[in-house]
Amino acid sequence: QKGHWKTHKPQCRQASGKAKTTEVAIDPSRPKPEGFDLVGASSRGPAIAPGSRGASGFTVKVQVPLSHVGLPDFMVHGVDGGARLRIYDSKRSFDVFVGPDQEPAFTTLGMKVREGGVNGCKAYFNARLAEDGLVYINSAKLLPPEAW
């Protein structure tokens, strides 16, 4: 494994550099908008912290609003009328709704999910929690569907 790392290391470094140019940031500490009291929409608190081992890489699920399935309007758009993406990790250390006020994440991730996600509704991405407290999501590559 050590021998292989010497040949593989340049590829990893190059991929890491490319990933940072395609990252979009979200603030995982934002409170849910009023009217979004959905089952399972609350976080369990910070399971990862900036600088911790798990913060360097994990998977997030991004879901687009499901306005076409007949949900009540406040569940899709909130009481302020803004449609939002729902983004969370498998441990629900954060569970946040991202709207147009968090550009370019809102537009970039929404387009990626609609174009290449599972039924155009959800997709999984690599992410990392940085020292500044923001979650940086690599929007360049969708991951295979997860079981959660």
Side-chain angles (χ1 to χ4, degrees):
Q1 199 173 22
K2 285 184 179 183
H4 177 69
W5 176 240
K6 289 178 182 178
T7 60
H8 184 72
K9 189 175 182 178
Q11 293 171 328
C12 273
R13 290 219 168 132
Q14 183 182 13
S16 177
K18 286 180 183 175
K20 289 186 179 176
T21 62
T22 58
E23 287 181 332
V24 292
I26 63 164
D27 182 356
S29 65
R30 297 183 115 190
K32 288 184 303 186
E34 197 162 322
F36 276 90
D37 293 327
L38 300 175
V39 173
S42 62
S43 69
R44 296 180 185 155
I48 54 176
S52 69
R53 186 174 182 177
S56 63
F58 54 94
T59 301
V60 294
K61 180 191 278 188
V62 178
Q63 296 174 301
V64 297
L66 298 176
S67 57
H68 64 281
V69 296
L71 293 174
D73 197 46
F74 80 92
M75 292 177 78
V76 176
H77 299 291
V79 293
D80 63 358
R84 291 176 168 74
L85 304 175
R86 183 178 178 192
I87 303 175
Y88 54 96
D89 67 339
S90 64
K91 296 178 183 175
R92 299 279 170 90
S93 60
F94 68 91
D95 188 344
V96 65
F97 289 87
V98 174
D101 58 329
Q102 291 196 65
E103 289 291 0
F106 177 73
T107 300
T108 302
L109 294 173
M111 285 176 34
K112 290 284 189 175
V113 172
R114 286 185 184 95
E115 291 170 2
V118 179
N119 296 324
C121 297
K122 64 182 175 183
Y124 301 85
F125 298 88
N126 284 320
R128 64 184 177 88
L129 179 64
E131 292 294 329
D132 61 6
L134 298 178
V135 171
Y136 289 86
I137 301 170
N138 180 354
S139 63
K141 182 180 176 189
L142 278 70
L143 300 176
E146 300 266 339
W148 49 276

